[in-house]
Amino acid sequence: MTYEALAEASGLSRRGVIALERGERVGEVRTWYRVARALDVSFADFMKVLDA
């Protein structure tokens, strides 16, 4: 998935998606929830991956 596609699907900006990936932005829980939904992954599974 491209940054543009993820940004559009999650309602975030392209710059915001890149900042999250790079760790330049922590992001609120609701932000991560939106990313998980955009990726069609359960929030619980998504959080497990982030915690690893």
Side-chain angles (χ1 to χ4, degrees):
M1 179 176 277
T2 65
Y3 290 125
E4 291 81 9
L6 181 55
E8 185 176 324
S10 65
L12 301 172
S13 68
R14 181 182 175 276
R15 186 176 290 185
V17 170
I18 292 170
L20 286 171
E21 181 185 43
R22 291 182 179 171
E24 298 170 351
R25 180 176 167 197
V26 176
E28 298 177 0
V29 172
R30 66 181 170 181
T31 301
W32 290 112
Y33 179 80
R34 290 164 47 183
V35 170
R37 287 194 48 144
L39 294 171
D40 197 26
V41 177
S42 78
F43 183 67
D45 288 342
F46 186 76
M47 294 308 292
K48 287 178 190 174
V49 171
L50 288 180
D51 191 41

